């Protein structure tokens, strides 16, 4: 174990030099970014000072503001020399190559310290995997060298590249000291995953309740159950979100640690706020919508259908499942789709309980993916829109997220209208 520990320590230290270089360049990039940001803000500050000066009655104070605006206007000519500031990055390319070559050499040397005879099957598997990973890592580094050789700081980014980066980007990273990245895939994946899981819970419960109320319950019982279920829609989403954070999250995490539930993928739950928690709350919110529309669809089926079925000797259950339900299938599909639109457009619940991790979930974990935290399109808008500068790239990215969310909701609702019209013919 001594040689193994030494190998591990040397492998970790092999990346120290490249980490130091990255931090140094990140500081330079942030310094340049801050200068450019201040430069872009000068015209706004000048306009604000002049507007404020026009409203001041005191001549001396008004003159001071106008003088400050004039000084800022003179400073507009002092442009930030990007070409000069980029020289440090070009100069570091050769240093980067030397550091990378030494890092690979150190990794190969440290790999030799790993014992060749290992008793644990897991250790053998990891050692075998390491032998494959280091050559793959070398290939990645060589490709990066080629990219660095072709890199130009003033190369324009085309519209096609920008669109691809947004719609197919796997990262959403803001307020970064290095570079902000706006890729919608993590947000879209999180929204669809939560919506899908929530419907798995909501549809059977809501549809079962609709069938029972419409086909089996007494009219007095139906008069009590239907308003009670629909009353759930009156609960504010922020209240449900707080209940999820303060109560349900802890209960779900504690319950997942029970030995009898250890067979369920993802249990025990590691992250307190996750997809499953958000889906349960959204299912509770969407169930009344699905129930109401599904019950109306069942109620629109001509009574003659069920009477004919009962007259032929079918039971009430057979009539409900084989006659009434298939006849109302178009309305039920519309109810489910409207329930989908309800959950994918929800903001407060997912903002509070989904975990807000802007990364694509690890689907390789199978069903355990539902225990991971995610971010959604609605929650990212609510979280970041209040602090973003109007007209900035960040602002436009959030606007595009909202536009895509609007198009999804519009498409779902338009399709539902077609289905409902078809079901009423």
């Amino acid at each position: 174990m001594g040689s193994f520990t030494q190998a591990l320590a040397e492998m970790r230290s092999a990346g120290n030099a490249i980490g130091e270089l990255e931090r140094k360049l990140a500081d330079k990039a942030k310094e340049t970014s801050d200068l450019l940001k201040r430069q872009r803000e000068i015209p706004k500050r000048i306009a604000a000072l002049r507007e404020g000066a026009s409203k001041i009655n005191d001549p001396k104070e008004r003159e001071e503001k106008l003088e400050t605006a004039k000084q800022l206007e003179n400073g507009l000519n002092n442009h930030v020399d990007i070409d000069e500031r980029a020289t440090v990055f070009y100069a570091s390319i050769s240093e980067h190559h030397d550091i990378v070559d030494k890092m690979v050499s150190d990794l190969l040397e440290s790999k030799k310290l790993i014992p060749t005879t290992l008793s644990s099957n897991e250790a053998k598997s990891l050692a075998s995997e390491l032998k494959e990973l280091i050559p793959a890592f070398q290939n990645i580094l060589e490709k990066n060298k080629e990219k660095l050789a072709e890199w130009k700081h003033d190369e324009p980014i085309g519209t096609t590249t920008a669109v691809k980066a947004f719609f197919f980007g796997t990262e959403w990273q803001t307020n970064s000291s290095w570079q902000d990245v706006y890729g919608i895939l993590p947000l879209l994946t999180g929204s669809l995953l939560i919506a899908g899981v929530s419907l798995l819970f909501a549809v059977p419960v809501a549809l079962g309740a609709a069938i029972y109320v419409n086909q089996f319950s007494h009219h007095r019982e139906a008069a009590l159950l239907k308003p009670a279920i629909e009353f759930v829609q009156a609960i504010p989403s922020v209240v449900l979100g707080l209940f999820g954070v303060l109560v349900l999250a802890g209960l779900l995490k504690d319950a997942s640690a029970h030995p009898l539930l250890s067979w369920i993928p993802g249990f025990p739950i590691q992250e307190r706020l996750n997809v499953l928690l958000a889906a349960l709350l959204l299912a509770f919110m969407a169930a009344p919508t699905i129930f109401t529309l599904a019950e109306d669809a069942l109620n629109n089926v001509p009574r003659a259908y069920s009477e004919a079925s009962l007259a032929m000797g079918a039971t009430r259950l057979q009539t409900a499942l084989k006659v009434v339900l298939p006849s109302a299938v178009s309305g039920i599909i519309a109810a489910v789709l409207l329930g989908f639109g309800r959950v994918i457009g929800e903001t407060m619940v997912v903002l509070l309980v989904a975990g807000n991790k802007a990364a694509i979930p690890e689907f390789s974990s199978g069903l355990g993916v539902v225990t991971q935290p995610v971010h959604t399109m609605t929650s990212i808008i609510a979280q970041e829109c209040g602090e973003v500068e109007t007209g900035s790239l960040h602002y436009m990215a959030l606007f595009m997220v909202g536009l895509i969310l609007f198009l999804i909701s519009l498409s779902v609702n338009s399709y539902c209208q077609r289905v409902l019209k078809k079901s009423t013919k």
Side-chain angles (χ1 to χ4, degrees), residues 163-170 183-185:
V163 170
K164 286 182 178 179
F166 179 76
F167 285 101
F168 301 101
T170 57
I184 198 175
L185 274 185

Side-chain angles (χ1 to χ4, degrees), residues 336-355:
V336 173
L337 290 175
L338 286 173
F340 172 80
R342 172 77 173 87
V343 297
I344 202 170
E346 176 55 39
T347 302
M348 287 309 301
V349 169
V350 292
L351 179 63
L352 291 171
V353 305

Side-chain angles (χ1 to χ4, degrees), residues 129-142:
E129 185 179 0
L130 180 63
K131 292 179 181 179
E132 298 176 0
L133 286 176
I134 291 182
F137 185 49
Q138 285 182 273
N139 291 333
I140 292 173
L141 293 175
E142 290 301 323

Side-chain angles (χ1 to χ4, degrees), residues 10-125:
E10 291 188 8
M11 284 184 178
R12 287 174 174 170
S13 62
N16 290 343
I18 195 71
E20 286 294 330
L21 178 61
E22 180 186 3
R23 284 188 287 273
K24 183 181 75 173
L25 295 178
D27 291 341
K28 290 287 184 181
K30 189 175 187 305
E31 182 182 335
T32 303
S33 176
D34 291 342
L35 287 172
L36 290 171
K37 185 177 180 180
R38 286 196 291 270
Q39 188 79 16
R40 288 192 295 267
E41 291 175 351
I42 288 178
K44 296 180 181 179
R45 293 179 60 191
I46 293 173
L49 285 169
R50 286 178 175 170
E51 183 180 356
S54 64
K55 299 177 181 179
I56 296 175
N57 296 324
D58 185 5
K60 184 178 180 181
E61 187 177 353
R62 182 171 62 250
E63 187 63 29
E64 288 178 356
K65 285 190 175 294
L66 291 174
E67 181 63 27
T68 304
K70 186 177 180 180
Q71 292 175 0
L72 288 173
E73 193 172 22
N74 294 333
L76 283 174
N77 299 323
N78 300 325
H79 295 292
V80 180
D81 192 342
I82 302 297
D83 294 334
E84 181 183 351
R85 288 185 161 271
T87 55
V88 65
F89 296 94
Y90 289 108
S92 65
I93 292 178
S94 59
E95 181 184 357
H96 168 270
H97 293 349
D98 294 339
I99 291 174
V100 164
D101 293 338
K102 187 176 186 306
M103 180 174 63
V104 172
S105 177
D106 291 344
L107 286 174
L108 293 173
E109 288 297 321
S110 58
K111 188 183 73 169
K112 297 177 182 179
L113 297 175
I114 297 177
T116 55
T117 56
L118 299 168
S119 57
S120 168
N121 290 330
E122 183 180 0
K124 291 178 182 178
S125 175

